[in-house]
Amino acid sequence: MSRSCICFSLFLILFTLLATAILGEEDGLVANGDFETPPSDGFPSDALIDSPKEVPGWKSNGTVELIEAGQKQGAMILIVPQGRHAVRLGNEAEISQELTVEKGSIYSVTFSAGRTCAQLESLNVSVPPASQTIDLQTLYNVQGWDPYAWAFEAEEDKVQLVFRNTGMEDDPSCGPIIDDIAIKKLFTPDKPKDNAVLNGDFEEGPWMFRNLSLGVLLPTNLDEETTSLPGWIVESNRAVRYIDSYHYSVPQGKRAVELLSGKEGIISQMVETKPDEQYTMTFAVGHADDKCKQPLAVMAFAGDQAQNVHYTPNSNSTFQSANLNFTARAERTRIAFLSVYYNTRTDDMSSLCGPVIDDVRVLVSGSNVNGLGLGLVLWVFVLFLV
């Protein structure tokens, strides 16, 4: 390798490190976000310990326990989402970590969480003053845990990420288990000139682990300014699933959304429109190829119009195109999607699933001239010249 190439490579490395120092944490796992870094005196090897264990990279308050895969709690085996270790939070216990971020930017935190007991358990995740409590009672798959995403706006360059068990169980050994904590800075995509929908292809969203095949759940979020899925909100009491093309069938690009829990899982967006103007909303409906039991159908809303779209299996494709015409009544029009049915997977009859939507567009009616129409226009023009 030439001396100039070596110098250029060193420059790139230094530039990357400098950019990271200026802009804050790199996207991905936070410090010891997988809890695989051993404490100074080693990991616990047997049953739950009597005193709190040091968790490297994290501050703890209350009964915070490092658990190992296969560890038993009475007759129950504790579930570790990924790797060998995770953290369990006892009654009113919490862990926190300081993060370096960019003030004013939106960040999404991805984490895996599960419950240890049959009682209602929840987990509060916060970057003060922003906070959200996530209900862990509903399990969306049979593995006993789910990945979630939550977004916040950084009000300072240094923030505290806090996970807290707000519950007080009769059994103090109960409490949520958390693992695989990662962060990603979100960017608001540019709005296409010919499409009123922001992030209609769902390509911008929360951090996803390449080795994780469960997607990421987006819980209820009514704040359109601070969302893990830029442009979209989840306005129901159940989550929707953000999926990738590495583990699911996606209509186009690398990302899409799978609608879960029937009418209890809704995503929506307010798009800019002109009153009394006619529009067409187009979108792709598909099957995630995750053994989801059919039939699959989506109910689409645009303004005062609604339409059911049933997915028809096709050996040549796992998705199909659909459209909905509407007349705008105001300067902002709500578009929304939900699953018509309550679907589960055929292999376990328990894991929640549903239809996939992608490539959502809102166009002024007649603005998307197709190839045939354009061809006719050209032929008429040629004949006119002749």
Side-chain angles (χ1 to χ4, degrees):
M1 183 182 292
S2 66
R3 185 173 181 179
S4 59
C5 290
I6 295 175
C7 292
F8 182 70
S9 299
L10 290 174
F11 170 77
L12 287 179
I13 294 173
L14 290 174
F15 179 80
T16 302
L17 293 174
L18 179 61
T20 301
I22 295 174
L23 297 179
E25 299 284 345
E26 292 185 70
D27 289 349
L29 209 66
V30 302
N32 195 26
D34 56 3
F35 302 105
E36 299 298 334
T37 301
S40 57
D41 55 348
F43 286 113
S45 57
D46 299 316
L48 296 178
I49 55 178
D50 296 330
S51 60
K53 195 78 170 178
E54 170 200 354
V55 182
W58 297 87
K59 294 181 179 179
S60 61
N61 185 21
T63 303
V64 177
E65 298 168 333
L66 272 170
I67 63 171
E68 293 185 342
Q71 183 175 312
K72 289 186 177 181
Q73 178 176 309
M76 178 177 60
I77 297 178
L78 299 179
I79 297 175
V80 171
Q82 292 286 302
R84 290 288 303 166
H85 302 92
V87 159
R88 190 195 72 83
L89 303 179
N91 287 338
E92 296 187 319
E94 69 177 36
I95 59 170
S96 63
Q97 182 176 138
E98 184 179 79
L99 302 177
T100 301
V101 293
E102 183 179 356
K103 183 178 179 180
S105 295
I106 304 296
Y107 289 83
S108 178
V109 177
T110 298
F111 57 94
S112 298
R115 51 184 171 83
T116 55
C117 300
Q119 295 95 333
L120 176 64
E121 290 183 9
S122 60
L123 178 67
N124 180 268
V125 55
S126 65
V127 172
S131 173
Q132 182 170 353
T133 298
I134 296 174
D135 176 20
L136 300 180
Q137 184 68 15
T138 299
L139 290 176
Y140 291 79
N141 71 87
V142 295
Q143 296 195 33
W145 58 275
D146 291 291
Y148 289 89
W150 172 77
F152 69 93
E153 180 179 356
E155 296 192 355
E156 301 292 340
D157 293 327
K158 300 283 187 179
V159 297
Q160 286 289 329
L161 173 62
V162 184
F163 291 89
R164 179 177 175 81
N165 174 18
T166 59
M168 283 291 291
E169 299 287 351
D170 294 335
D171 184 352
S173 63
C174 291
I177 293 174
I178 56 177
D179 198 3
D180 283 342
I181 302 170
I183 190 169
K184 178 184 176 182
K185 180 182 176 182
L186 297 177
F187 295 91
T188 302
D190 294 332
K191 186 178 295 183
K193 294 181 180 179
D194 60 346
N195 183 9
V197 181
L198 183 66
N199 198 24
D201 57 5
F202 302 110
E203 293 301 301
E204 181 65 12
W207 177 265
M208 302 184 77
F209 291 98
R210 286 289 297 271
N211 63 341
L212 191 60
S213 61
L214 297 178
V216 177
L217 294 178
L218 306 178
T220 305
N221 178 21
L222 301 179
D223 184 358
E224 63 181 11
E225 300 297 329
T226 308
T227 167
S228 290
L229 191 62
W232 299 89
I233 64 173
V234 181
E235 58 176 67
S236 52
N237 59 352
R238 291 287 181 90
V240 300
R241 179 178 288 129
Y242 190 56
I243 62 175
D244 61 23
S245 60
Y246 302 110
H247 304 96
Y248 297 85
S249 179
V250 170
Q252 67 90 30
K254 297 293 185 181
R255 306 284 189 266
V257 167
E258 184 178 21
L259 302 173
L260 313 174
S261 308
K263 297 179 181 179
E264 296 179 274
I266 306 172
I267 66 166
S268 67
Q269 181 175 153
M270 297 294 293
V271 300
E272 295 180 359
T273 53
K274 294 181 180 180
D276 301 322
E277 189 87 60
Q278 292 185 341
Y279 291 86
T280 298
M281 181 173 71
T282 64
F283 54 96
V285 177
H287 192 294
D289 199 20
D290 58 355
K291 300 180 181 180
C292 194
K293 186 177 181 180
Q294 299 189 39
L296 297 173
V298 167
M299 178 171 282
F301 300 86
D304 57 2
Q305 298 295 308
Q307 179 176 312
N308 283 349
V309 178
H310 285 74
Y311 166 70
T312 305
N314 187 324
S315 59
N316 296 323
S317 178
T318 58
F319 69 94
Q320 65 194 51
S321 298
N323 63 77
L324 174 60
N325 297 318
F326 68 97
T327 301
R329 306 300 181 190
E331 294 181 351
R332 299 188 78 199
T333 300
R334 174 181 176 267
I335 62 172
F337 300 90
L338 60 83
S339 175
V340 174
Y341 304 112
Y342 194 94
N343 302 89
T344 56
R345 290 173 52 130
T346 57
D347 55 350
D348 59 38
M349 305 302 292
S350 178
S351 297
L352 299 182
C353 59
V356 172
I357 62 167
D358 200 0
D359 197 21
V360 184
R361 302 170 182 267
V362 171
L363 313 166
V364 176
S365 294
S367 64
N368 53 335
V369 180
N370 58 32
L372 178 61
L374 181 59
L376 289 174
V377 171
L378 290 175
W379 272 110
V380 170
F381 180 70
V382 171
L383 290 174
F384 175 77
L385 290 178
V386 173

